[in-house]
């Protein structure tokens, strides 16, 4: 029983340690959060340490990870299409076509088969660099979603 308790305690501690942002990562995300809130988006940092917000009712979020001193790996995501009643073969083909054709955006078909999410992944050394590309990245993610819909329609 003691071993089980210790294993459970260590597991919980390890999981919570992995989800904690470093002070530099928190400052980086807070800078972006402040920008988004000043622009009228109601951004917040969730339990998974992602910066989450909505644009026209659609979910978006930033995830961050320190790669080396002074550089951050930032992924900007958009929750996208719902595909629970779709031809999954066509969904995969459409998502792969957009990912291959646009290079900067990745389309992820959820393993549950319930939807497609979109992401742009880049390296940055400052939050102001992320902010400079914010509007362009939103446009790219929205365009990628529209292209997946278009390609999917062509395959049906």
């Amino acid at each position: 029983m003691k071993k089980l308790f210790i294993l459970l305690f260590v597991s919980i501690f390890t999981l919570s340690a992995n989800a904690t942002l470093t002070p530099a990562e928190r400052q980086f995300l807070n800078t972006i959060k402040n920008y988004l809130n000043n622009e009228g988006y109601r951004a917040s940092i969730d339990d998974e340490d992602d910066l989450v917000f909505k644009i026209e009712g659609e979910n978006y979020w930033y995830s961050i990870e320190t790669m080396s001193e002074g550089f951050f790996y930032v992924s900007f995501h958009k929750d996208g299409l719902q595909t629970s009643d779709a031809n999954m073969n066509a969904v995969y083909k459409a998502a792969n076509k957009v990912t291959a054709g646009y290079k900067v955006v990745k389309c992820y078909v959820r393993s549950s088969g319930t939807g497609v999410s979109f992401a742009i992944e880049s390296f940055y050394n400052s939050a102001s660099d992320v902010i400079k590309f914010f509007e362009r990245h939103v446009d790219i993610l929205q365009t990628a979603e529209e292209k997946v819909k278009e390609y999917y329609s062509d395959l049906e």
Side-chain angles (χ1 to χ4, degrees):
M1 184 66 172
K2 249 186 191 180
K3 288 181 184 178
L4 180 61
F5 178 76
I6 291 171
L7 180 63
L8 181 62
F9 179 77
V10 170
S11 298
I12 290 171
F13 179 74
T14 303
L15 288 174
S16 65
N18 289 340
T20 304
L21 295 172
T22 67
E25 291 168 343
R26 186 158 304 278
Q27 180 181 359
F28 192 96
L29 278 183
N30 278 330
T31 300
I32 299 168
K33 180 180 132 191
N34 291 338
Y35 165 78
L36 293 171
N37 285 333
N38 288 337
E39 293 296 312
Y41 305 102
R42 294 174 38 211
S44 62
I45 297 175
D46 69 5
D47 294 342
E48 296 177 357
D49 289 330
D50 293 331
L51 178 59
V52 297
F53 58 99
K54 290 187 178 212
I55 299 176
E56 299 173 1
E58 300 276 339
N59 295 322
Y60 289 79
W61 68 95
Y62 282 101
S63 296
I64 184 172
E65 182 180 339
T66 302
M67 295 310 292
S68 64
E69 188 64 34
F71 285 94
F72 299 93
Y73 173 73
V74 179
S75 53
F76 182 33
H77 300 264
K78 178 185 187 306
D79 211 8
L81 303 171
Q82 300 305 311
T83 59
S84 56
D85 295 333
N87 172 343
M88 291 311 294
N89 189 37
V91 170
Y92 278 108
K93 285 181 181 179
N96 286 338
K97 186 171 182 176
V98 171
T99 297
Y102 283 82
K103 308 288 188 233
V104 71
V105 67
K106 293 181 181 177
C107 305
Y108 295 100
V109 178
R110 291 187 203 108
S111 59
S112 62
T114 60
V116 180
S117 294
F118 305 88
I120 295 173
E121 301 168 343
S122 302
F123 293 95
Y124 296 96
N125 64 355
S126 74
S128 63
D129 290 338
V130 175
I131 292 167
K132 286 178 198 174
F133 291 103
F134 172 72
E135 289 182 26
R136 180 71 181 125
H137 285 169
V138 169
D139 183 49
I140 290 169
L141 292 172
Q142 291 173 342
T143 300
E145 181 177 18
E146 291 305 313
K147 286 296 183 183
V148 169
K149 288 179 186 175
E150 178 184 319
Y151 294 150
Y152 177 80
S153 294
D154 291 347
L155 292 168
E156 279 295 287

